[in-house]
Amino acid sequence: MSCNDKLCSDTALNYMYTYNSANNIETLLYNKVDDAKDIFSYDQKINPFKEYNPYFKIMINNDFYLTLSQNNPVRMDYYYNGNLEESIIYNITYDNDNYPLTIEGKDAVTGEFKISYAFEYR
């Protein structure tokens, strides 16, 4: 995946995803940034985007990388120059069928609110 916006310094930024045996993104590497990577941990519940078309999933992908794994991320650790810069813990509530209803991300150290998602299924 490549990024061509102002956040990428007006040049292409390539991302490389590595997947674990459960078909979840394990590591996201940024080739343009020295030793920058995200490492993810997952629950064993159903990702609501699991059955989406893979090209559609890439197009709607955002910083949460929600759409590209089989399960739901419960933790993301961001490393820069080999140092842990930030950890986000995601608290997820589920419906009776084990699909996420809400996801709330907070800094693992400070508890600072980072992001939230709410899902409605039809």
Side-chain angles (χ1 to χ4, degrees):
M1 185 171 97
S2 294
C3 175
N4 286 315
D5 65 18
K6 292 178 184 173
L7 296 174
C8 301
S9 303
D10 296 325
T11 58
L13 174 63
N14 294 313
Y15 298 94
M16 185 172 76
Y17 300 96
T18 59
Y19 285 82
N20 63 22
S21 61
N23 205 21
N24 291 315
I25 294 173
E26 188 170 65
T27 307
L28 167 61
L29 300 171
Y30 308 87
N31 79 337
K32 195 176 150 195
V33 181
D34 294 332
D35 201 19
K37 64 183 174 183
D38 295 338
I39 298 177
F40 298 89
S41 300
Y42 295 86
D43 63 12
Q44 297 300 310
K45 310 284 184 173
I46 302 165
N47 182 323
F49 297 98
K50 180 179 175 180
E51 301 299 327
Y52 273 44
N53 177 301
Y55 301 107
F56 178 73
K57 291 194 300 188
I58 291 170
M59 287 176 36
I60 65 169
N61 192 24
N62 58 26
D63 289 338
F64 192 50
Y65 307 106
L66 177 66
T67 64
L68 299 177
S69 294
Q70 297 295 304
N71 303 108
N72 304 294
V74 292
R75 182 181 180 106
M76 188 274 301
D77 295 318
Y78 171 70
Y79 290 84
Y80 183 75
N81 286 330
N83 298 312
L84 180 62
E85 294 289 319
E86 182 177 49
S87 291
I88 298 175
I89 303 290
Y90 299 100
N91 183 35
I92 306 173
T93 59
Y94 302 93
D95 67 12
N96 292 335
D97 295 320
N98 288 322
Y99 284 94
L101 289 173
T102 62
I103 300 174
E104 186 176 273
K106 292 185 178 181
D107 186 282
V109 175
T110 66
E112 176 187 356
F113 175 80
K114 294 292 184 177
I115 196 162
S116 70
Y117 295 91
F119 297 91
E120 181 179 321
Y121 302 101
R122 296 176 190 207

